[in-house]
Coordinates of all heavy atoms in Angstrom, one line a residue:
M1 N 72.2 106.3 148.8 CA 72.9 106.3 147.5 C 73.6 104.9 147.3 O 73.9 104.5 146.2 CB 74.0 107.4 147.4 CG 73.4 108.8 147.5 SD 72.5 109.2 146.0 CE 73.8 109.9 145.0
I120 N 66.1 100.8 131.6 CA 65.8 102.2 131.2 C 65.6 103.1 132.5 O 64.8 102.8 133.3 CB 64.5 102.3 130.4 CG1 64.7 101.4 129.1 CG2 64.2 103.7 129.9 CD1 63.4 101.2 128.3
I121 N 66.4 104.1 132.6 CA 66.3 105.0 133.7 C 65.9 106.4 133.2 O 66.5 106.9 132.3 CB 67.7 105.1 134.5 CG1 68.2 103.8 135.0 CG2 67.6 106.1 135.6 CD1 69.5 103.8 135.7
A122 N 64.8 106.9 133.8 CA 64.3 108.2 133.2 C 64.4 109.3 134.2 O 64.4 109.1 135.4 CB 62.8 107.9 132.9
P123 N 64.3 110.6 133.7 CA 64.3 111.8 134.5 C 62.9 112.2 134.9 O 61.9 111.6 134.5 CB 65.0 112.8 133.6 CG 64.5 112.4 132.3 CD 64.3 110.9 132.3
W124 N 62.8 113.3 135.5 CA 61.5 113.8 136.0 C 60.8 114.8 135.0 O 59.6 115.1 135.1 CB 61.6 114.4 137.4 CG 62.6 115.5 137.4 CD1 63.9 115.4 137.8 CD2 62.4 116.9 137.1 NE1 64.6 116.6 137.7 CE2 63.7 117.5 137.3 CE3 61.4 117.6 136.6 CZ2 63.9 118.9 137.0 CZ3 61.6 119.0 136.3 CH2 62.8 119.6 136.5
N125 N 61.6 115.4 134.1 CA 61.1 116.6 133.5 C 60.0 116.3 132.4 O 59.0 117.1 132.3 CB 62.2 117.5 132.9 CG 63.0 116.8 131.9 OD1 63.1 115.6 131.8 ND2 63.6 117.6 131.0
Y126 N 60.1 115.2 131.7 CA 59.0 114.7 130.9 C 58.9 113.2 131.3 O 59.3 112.3 130.7 CB 59.4 114.8 129.4 CG 59.3 116.2 128.9 CD1 60.5 117.0 129.0 CD2 58.2 116.8 128.4 CE1 60.5 118.4 128.7 CE2 58.2 118.1 128.0 CZ 59.3 118.9 128.1 OH 59.3 120.2 127.8
L130 N 59.6 110.3 128.4 CA 61.0 109.9 128.4 C 61.2 108.5 129.0 O 62.3 107.9 128.9 CB 61.9 110.9 129.1 CG 61.9 112.3 128.4 CD1 62.8 113.3 129.2 CD2 62.5 112.1 127.0
M131 N 60.2 108.0 129.6 CA 60.2 106.6 130.0 C 59.6 105.7 129.0 O 60.1 104.6 128.6 CB 59.4 106.4 131.4 CG 59.3 105.0 131.8 SD 60.9 104.2 132.0 CE 61.3 104.7 133.7
K148 N 63.2 102.3 135.7 CA 63.3 103.1 136.9 C 63.0 104.5 136.6 O 63.7 105.3 136.0 CB 64.7 103.0 137.4 CG 64.9 103.0 139.0 CD 64.4 104.3 139.6 CE 65.5 105.4 139.7 NZ 64.9 106.7 140.1
P149 N 61.7 105.0 137.0 CA 61.4 106.4 136.8 C 62.0 107.3 137.9 O 62.6 106.8 138.8 CB 59.9 106.4 136.9 CG 59.6 105.2 137.9 CD 60.7 104.2 137.7
S150 N 61.9 108.6 137.7 CA 62.4 109.5 138.7 C 61.6 109.6 140.0 O 60.4 109.6 139.9 CB 62.6 110.9 138.1 OG 62.9 111.8 139.1
E151 N 62.3 109.7 141.1 CA 61.6 109.8 142.3 C 61.0 111.3 142.5 O 60.2 111.5 143.4 CB 62.5 109.5 143.5 CG 63.7 110.4 143.7 CD 64.9 110.2 142.8 OE1 64.7 109.6 141.7 OE2 66.0 110.7 143.1
L152 N 61.4 112.2 141.7 CA 61.0 113.6 141.9 C 59.5 113.8 141.4 O 58.9 114.9 141.6 CB 61.9 114.6 141.2 CG 63.4 114.6 141.7 CD1 64.1 115.8 141.2 CD2 63.4 114.5 143.3
G178 N 61.6 104.5 143.1 CA 62.6 104.7 144.1 C 63.6 105.7 143.7 O 63.6 106.2 142.6
D179 N 64.6 106.0 144.6 CA 65.6 107.0 144.3 C 66.9 106.4 143.7 O 66.9 105.3 143.2 CB 65.8 107.8 145.6 CG 66.4 106.9 146.7 OD1 66.7 105.8 146.4 OD2 66.4 107.4 147.8
A180 N 67.9 107.2 143.9 CA 69.2 106.8 143.3 C 69.7 105.4 143.8 O 70.4 104.7 143.1 CB 70.3 107.9 143.6
S181 N 69.3 105.1 145.1 CA 69.8 103.8 145.6 C 69.2 102.6 144.8 O 69.9 101.6 144.6 CB 69.4 103.7 147.1 OG 68.0 103.7 147.2
V182 N 67.9 102.8 144.4 CA 67.3 101.7 143.5 C 68.1 101.7 142.2 O 68.4 100.6 141.6 CB 65.8 102.0 143.3 CG1 65.2 101.0 142.4 CG2 65.1 101.9 144.7
A183 N 68.3 102.9 141.6 CA 69.0 102.9 140.3 C 70.4 102.3 140.5 O 70.8 101.5 139.6 CB 69.2 104.4 139.9
Q184 N 71.1 102.5 141.6 CA 72.4 102.0 141.7 C 72.4 100.5 141.9 O 73.3 99.8 141.4 CB 73.1 102.7 142.9 CG 73.3 104.1 142.6 CD 74.5 104.7 143.2 OE1 75.0 104.2 144.3 NE2 75.0 105.8 142.7
A185 N 71.4 100.0 142.6 CA 71.2 98.5 142.8 C 70.9 97.9 141.4 O 71.5 96.8 141.1 CB 70.1 98.2 143.8
L187 N 71.9 99.1 138.6 CA 73.2 99.2 137.8 C 74.2 98.1 138.1 O 75.2 97.9 137.4 CB 73.8 100.6 138.0 CG 73.0 101.7 137.3 CD1 73.6 103.1 137.7 CD2 73.1 101.6 135.8
F195 N 69.8 102.3 128.9 CA 69.3 103.5 128.2 C 69.0 104.5 129.4 O 68.1 104.4 130.1 CB 68.0 103.3 127.4 CG 67.6 104.4 126.5 CD1 67.8 104.3 125.2 CD2 67.1 105.6 127.1 CE1 67.4 105.3 124.3 CE2 66.7 106.6 126.2 CZ 66.9 106.5 124.8
F196 N 69.9 105.5 129.5 CA 69.7 106.5 130.6 C 69.4 107.9 130.0 O 70.1 108.4 129.1 CB 71.0 106.5 131.4 CG 71.1 107.7 132.4 CD1 70.4 107.6 133.6 CD2 71.7 108.9 132.1 CE1 70.5 108.6 134.5 CE2 71.7 109.9 133.0 CZ 71.1 109.8 134.2
T197 N 68.4 108.5 130.6 CA 68.1 109.9 130.3 C 68.3 110.7 131.6 O 67.6 110.4 132.6 CB 66.7 110.1 129.7 OG1 66.5 109.2 128.6 CG2 66.5 111.6 129.2
G198 N 69.1 111.7 131.6 CA 69.3 112.5 132.8 C 70.5 113.4 132.7 O 70.9 113.8 131.6
S199 N 71.1 113.8 133.8 CA 72.2 114.8 133.8 C 73.5 114.1 133.4 O 73.7 112.9 133.6 CB 72.3 115.4 135.2 OG 72.6 114.3 136.1
P200 N 74.4 114.9 132.8 CA 75.8 114.4 132.5 C 76.5 113.8 133.7 O 77.2 112.8 133.6 CB 76.5 115.6 131.9 CG 75.4 116.5 131.4 CD 74.2 116.3 132.3
A201 N 76.3 114.4 134.9 CA 77.0 113.9 136.1 C 76.6 112.5 136.4 O 77.4 111.6 136.6 CB 76.7 114.8 137.3
V202 N 75.3 112.2 136.4 CA 74.8 110.8 136.6 C 75.1 109.9 135.4 O 75.4 108.7 135.6 CB 73.3 110.8 137.0 CG1 72.8 109.4 137.3 CG2 73.0 111.7 138.3
G203 N 75.1 110.5 134.2 CA 75.5 109.7 133.0 C 76.8 109.1 133.2 O 77.1 107.9 132.8
I205 N 78.2 108.2 136.0 CA 78.0 107.1 137.0 C 77.5 105.8 136.3 O 77.9 104.7 136.4 CB 77.1 107.5 138.1 CG1 77.7 108.6 138.9 CG2 76.7 106.3 139.0 CD1 76.8 109.2 140.0
V206 N 76.5 106.1 135.4 CA 75.9 105.0 134.6 C 76.9 104.3 133.7 O 77.0 103.1 133.7 CB 74.6 105.5 133.8 CG1 74.1 104.5 132.9 CG2 73.5 106.0 134.8
L219 N 73.1 107.3 126.3 CA 73.0 108.3 127.3 C 72.4 109.5 126.7 O 73.0 110.1 125.7 CB 74.4 108.6 127.9 CG 75.2 107.5 128.4 CD1 76.6 107.9 128.9 CD2 74.5 106.9 129.6
E220 N 71.2 109.9 127.1 CA 70.5 111.1 126.7 C 70.7 112.1 127.8 O 70.1 112.1 128.8 CB 69.0 110.8 126.4 CG 68.7 109.8 125.4 CD 68.9 110.3 123.9 OE1 69.2 111.5 123.8 OE2 68.6 109.6 123.0
L221 N 71.7 113.0 127.6 CA 72.1 113.9 128.6 C 71.7 115.4 128.3 O 70.7 115.6 127.6 CB 73.6 113.8 128.9 CG 74.1 112.4 129.0 CD1 75.6 112.3 129.2 CD2 73.4 111.6 130.2
G222 N 72.3 116.3 128.9 CA 71.9 117.7 128.8 C 73.1 118.6 128.6 O 74.1 118.3 128.0
G223 N 73.0 119.8 129.1 CA 74.0 120.8 128.9 C 73.4 122.2 128.5 O 72.2 122.4 128.6
Q252 N 62.3 123.6 132.0 CA 62.9 122.3 132.4 C 62.8 121.3 131.3 O 62.2 120.2 131.4 CB 62.2 121.8 133.7 CG 62.2 122.9 134.8 CD 61.2 122.6 135.9 OE1 61.6 122.4 137.0 NE2 59.9 122.7 135.6
T253 N 63.5 121.7 130.2 CA 63.5 120.8 129.0 C 64.9 120.7 128.6 O 65.6 121.7 128.5 CB 62.7 121.4 127.8 OG1 61.3 121.7 128.3 CG2 62.6 120.6 126.6
C254 N 65.4 119.4 128.3 CA 66.8 119.2 128.0 C 67.2 120.0 126.7 O 68.3 120.4 126.6 CB 67.1 117.7 127.8 SG 66.0 117.0 126.6
I255 N 66.2 120.2 125.8 CA 66.6 120.8 124.5 C 66.1 122.3 124.5 O 66.1 122.9 123.5 CB 66.1 120.1 123.3 CG1 64.6 119.7 123.5 CG2 66.9 118.8 123.0 CD1 64.0 119.2 122.2
V299 N 60.1 122.0 139.7 CA 59.6 120.7 140.2 C 59.7 120.6 141.7 O 58.8 120.0 142.3 CB 60.4 119.5 139.5 CG1 61.9 119.5 140.0 CG2 59.7 118.2 139.8
R302 N 64.2 122.4 146.1 CA 65.7 122.4 145.9 C 66.0 123.0 144.5 O 66.9 123.9 144.4 CB 66.2 121.0 145.9 CG 67.7 120.8 145.7 CD 68.2 119.4 146.0 NE 67.7 118.4 145.2 CZ 68.2 118.1 144.0 NH1 69.2 118.7 143.5 NH2 67.7 117.1 143.2
H303 N 65.3 122.7 143.5 CA 65.5 123.2 142.1 C 65.1 124.7 142.1 O 65.7 125.5 141.4 CB 64.8 122.4 141.1 CG 65.6 121.1 140.7 ND1 66.8 121.2 140.0 CD2 65.4 119.8 141.0 CE1 67.2 119.9 139.8 NE2 66.5 119.1 140.5
E352 N 74.0 124.1 133.2 CA 72.7 124.1 132.5 C 71.7 124.7 133.4 O 71.6 124.4 134.6 CB 72.4 122.6 132.3 CG 71.0 122.4 131.6 CD 70.7 120.9 131.4 OE1 71.5 120.0 131.9 OE2 69.7 120.6 130.7
F354 N 68.1 124.9 133.2 CA 67.0 124.1 133.5 C 65.9 124.8 134.4 O 65.4 124.3 135.4 CB 67.4 122.8 134.3 CG 66.8 121.6 133.7 CD1 67.0 121.2 132.4 CD2 66.1 120.7 134.5 CE1 66.5 120.1 131.9 CE2 65.5 119.6 134.0 CZ 65.7 119.2 132.6
L380 N 73.6 119.7 123.3 CA 72.6 118.7 122.9 C 71.8 119.3 121.7 O 71.5 118.6 120.7 CB 71.6 118.5 124.0 CG 70.5 117.5 123.8 CD1 71.0 116.1 123.5 CD2 69.6 117.4 125.1
F413 N 62.9 116.7 118.6 CA 62.4 115.7 119.5 C 61.3 114.8 118.9 O 61.3 113.6 119.2 CB 62.0 116.3 120.8 CG 61.5 115.2 121.8 CD1 62.4 114.4 122.4 CD2 60.2 115.1 122.2 CE1 62.0 113.4 123.3 CE2 59.8 114.2 123.1 CZ 60.7 113.3 123.7
F420 N 67.7 111.6 117.3 CA 67.7 112.5 118.5 C 68.7 112.1 119.5 O 68.7 110.9 119.9 CB 66.3 112.6 119.1 CG 66.2 113.4 120.4 CD1 66.1 114.8 120.2 CD2 66.4 112.9 121.6 CE1 66.1 115.6 121.3 CE2 66.3 113.7 122.7 CZ 66.2 115.1 122.6
G421 N 69.5 113.0 119.9 CA 70.5 112.7 121.0 C 71.6 113.7 121.0 O 71.6 114.7 120.3
G422 N 72.6 113.4 121.8 CA 73.7 114.4 122.0 C 75.0 113.9 121.5 O 75.0 112.9 120.7
S426 N 76.8 115.8 126.0 CA 75.4 115.9 125.9 C 74.7 114.6 125.5 O 73.5 114.5 125.4 CB 74.9 117.0 124.9 OG 75.5 116.8 123.6
G427 N 75.6 113.6 125.4 CA 75.0 112.2 125.2 C 75.8 111.3 124.2 O 76.6 111.8 123.5
S431 N 68.1 108.3 119.5 CA 66.8 107.6 119.5 C 65.9 108.3 118.5 O 66.3 109.2 117.8 CB 66.3 107.7 121.0 OG 66.3 109.0 121.5
Ligands
LIG501 P1 69.3 113.1 137.1 O1 70.5 112.7 136.4 O2 69.4 113.7 138.4 O3 68.3 111.8 137.4 C1 67.9 111.0 136.3 C2 67.6 109.6 136.9 O4 68.8 109.1 137.4 C3 66.6 109.5 137.9 O5 65.8 108.4 137.7 C4 67.4 109.4 139.2 O6 66.7 108.6 140.2 C5 68.6 108.6 138.8 N1 69.8 109.0 139.6 C6 70.0 110.1 140.2 N2 71.2 110.0 140.9 C7 71.7 108.8 140.6 C8 72.9 108.1 141.0 N3 73.8 108.7 141.7 N4 73.1 106.9 140.5 C9 72.2 106.3 139.7 N5 71.1 106.9 139.3 C10 70.8 108.1 139.8 O7 68.5 114.0 136.1 P2 67.1 114.8 136.3 O8 67.3 115.9 137.3 O9 66.0 113.8 136.5 O10 66.9 115.4 134.8 C11 67.5 116.6 134.4 C12 68.7 116.3 133.5 O11 68.3 115.4 132.5 C13 69.1 117.6 132.8 O12 70.6 117.6 132.7 C14 68.5 117.4 131.4 O13 69.2 118.1 130.4 C15 68.7 115.9 131.2 N6 67.7 115.5 130.3 C16 68.1 115.0 129.1 C17 67.2 114.6 128.1 C18 67.6 114.1 126.8 O14 66.8 113.5 126.1 N7 68.9 114.2 126.4 C19 65.8 114.6 128.4 C20 65.4 115.1 129.6 C21 66.4 115.5 130.6

Side-chain angles (χ1 to χ4, degrees):
M1 296 291 270
I120 302 173
I121 301 179
W124 55 265
N125 60 335
Y126 290 85
L130 294 179
M131 175 57 85
K148 213 297 275 168
S150 171
E151 68 279 20
L152 300 193
D179 59 13
S181 64
V182 175
Q184 296 208 337
L187 288 170
F195 190 109
F196 169 80
T197 308
S199 58
V202 180
I205 295 173
V206 171
L219 303 177
E220 297 282 3
L221 310 177
Q252 302 163 116
T253 304
C254 54
I255 49 170
V299 70
R302 181 169 65 83
H303 280 285
E352 181 179 5
F354 228 56
L380 182 58
F413 180 67
F420 177 80
S426 55
S431 51

